[in-house]
């Protein structure tokens, strides 16, 4: 994620402080603990339990960077690739209270909060939630499908720490097909236009599927240039088991192919993905999963191990951090992680400098200054 320089400096200070003095209780390895006390069902795909594992490069350094806060799972759309509305179908009418949301934010302590869902603009207290987060000096990505921006814009005040992050998976025809409703693209564009005109920061969020034509993503960014947006997020889709249409998801090799020309796009447009993460998507460098960098809180509790797969929900953040067998997840450890290259698992690894190479710092600085 990209922020104004003053905020980037604050984030760098937070990372430096936590890398220097990580909380010891968050750093334990539970990978071999597959007993009844462990609420997670671990599917061992790599070494057998107890066998030697190469230490995780960030072992002894776990801490949260971005909290994924889901105040509700209800949505006004039914997108083809959405795992959320399917996985949480039985609890879709539940909502977190404002106090629960802010309590989770304080408990976690991450400097960035991504408000997602469901559709967060359906949350009755969304204005007060954002206000509460800004009072806590959090940087906010409000992830929305854009349908309700115009209706609810009056509940917010522009702030450099607040971004409306609008979901757009392609130009009008493709986007409306992906969200399974005509007119959504037009309304989302009207929404982002209104937000920009009112002085808000606005970025877009695009998920890349097997059928995505990257030339269309380029055309989408060209179209959006007229609105002078504040960045674009781009990530390959995760293959949710709850989504029946398996054809839409990609293998790692598919992702490498799909993102092979991403550098050219990154030169032309303001991509919010870090250069190291883009290297990873192109298959130029390996990164380990650092899902603990992006914890998720929703109506069932702290979702473990990550935003994408669910082996359980914990009542407290402390429990999520101390009881999750983090070492049992990631590429080569769990079959469900095999083709995952999604930003919430790997952007923290890039931000934390894992598997760093000479020149990374300079590239990062260039990226921040652009
Ligand atoms: S807008 Fe988001 S939450 Fe709603 S169905 Fe689409 S992907 Fe899911
Ligand atoms: S690799 Fe992906 S699916 Fe697996 S734990 Fe990490 S973020 Fe979750």
């Amino acid at each position: 994620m990209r922020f104004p320089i003053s905020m980037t400096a604050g984030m760098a200070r937070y990372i430096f402080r936590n890398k220097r003095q990580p909380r010891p209780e968050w750093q334990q390895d539970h990978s071999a603990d597959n007993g009844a006390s462990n609420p997670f069902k671990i599917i061992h795909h790599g070494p057998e339990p107890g066998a030697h594992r190469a230490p995780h490069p960030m072992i002894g350094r776990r801490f949260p960077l971005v909290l994924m806060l889901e105040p509700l799972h209800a949505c006004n759309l039914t997108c083809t690739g959405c795992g959320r509305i399917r996985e949480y179908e039985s609890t879709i009418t539940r909502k977190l209270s404002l106090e629960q949301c802010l309590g989770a934010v304080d408990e976690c302590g991450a400097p960035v909060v991504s408000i997602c869902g469901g559709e967060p603009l359906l949350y009755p207290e969304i204005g007060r939630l954002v206000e509460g987060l800004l009072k806590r000096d959090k940087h906010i990505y409000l992830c929305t499908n854009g349908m309700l921006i115009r209706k609810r814009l009056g509940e917010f005040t522009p702030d450099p720490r607040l971004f409306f992050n609008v979901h757009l998976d392609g130009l009008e025809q493709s986007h409306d097909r992906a969200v399974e409703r005509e007119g959504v693209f037009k309304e989302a564009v009207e929404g982002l236009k209104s937000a920009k005109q009112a002085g808000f920061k606005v970025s877009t969020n695009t998920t890349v599927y097997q059928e995505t034509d990257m030339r269309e993503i380029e055309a989408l960014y060209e179209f959006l240039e007229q609105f002078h947006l504040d960045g674009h997020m781009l990530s390959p889709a995760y293959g949710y088991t709850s989504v029946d249409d398996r054809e839409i998801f990609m293998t790692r090799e598919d992702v490498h192919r799909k993102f092979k020309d991403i550098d050219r796009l990154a030169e032309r447009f303001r991509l919010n993905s870090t250069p190291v993460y883009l290297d990873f998507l192109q298959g130029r460098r390996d990164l380990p999963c650092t899902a603990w960098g992006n914890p998720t809180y929703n109506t069932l509790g702290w979702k473990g191990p990550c935003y994408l797969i669910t082996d359980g929900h914990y009542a407290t953040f402390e429990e999520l951090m101390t009881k999750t067998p983090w070492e049992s997840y990631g590429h080569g450890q769990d079959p469900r992680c095999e083709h995952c290259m999604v930003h919430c698992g790997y952007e923290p690894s890039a931000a934390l400098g894992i598997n760093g190479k000479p020149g990374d710092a300079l590239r990062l600085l260039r990226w921040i200054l652009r």
Side-chain angles (χ1 to χ4, degrees), residues 147-211:
M147 299 292 285
L148 296 170
I149 292 183
R150 289 200 289 176
K151 189 169 171 198
R152 302 206 63 178
L153 201 57
E155 295 173 46
F156 306 95
T157 309
D159 189 295
R161 295 165 298 178
L162 168 65
F163 285 69
F164 282 96
N165 191 24
V166 182
H167 169 199
L168 285 178
D169 281 350
L171 287 167
E172 185 168 358
Q173 214 183 2
S174 313
H175 183 67
D176 284 358
R177 191 172 52 244
V179 302
E180 300 186 13
R181 192 190 304 174
E182 270 181 39
V184 172
F185 181 88
K186 275 205 178 95
E187 186 52 48
V189 169
E190 285 306 316
L192 63 83
K193 234 163 79 180
S194 309
K196 268 315 278 183
Q197 279 162 5
F200 288 93
K201 299 260 181 209
V202 179
S203 55
T204 61
N205 184 27
T206 301
T207 307
V208 174
Y209 296 94
Q210 183 69 270
E211 65 183 25

Side-chain angles (χ1 to χ4, degrees), residues 67 69 100-110 113 133 136 138:
L67 167 62
L69 179 63
Q100 281 174 310
C101 290
L102 294 174
V105 169
D106 292 339
E107 206 187 337
C108 171
V113 179
L133 294 180
R136 286 162 170 78
K138 301 293 177 187

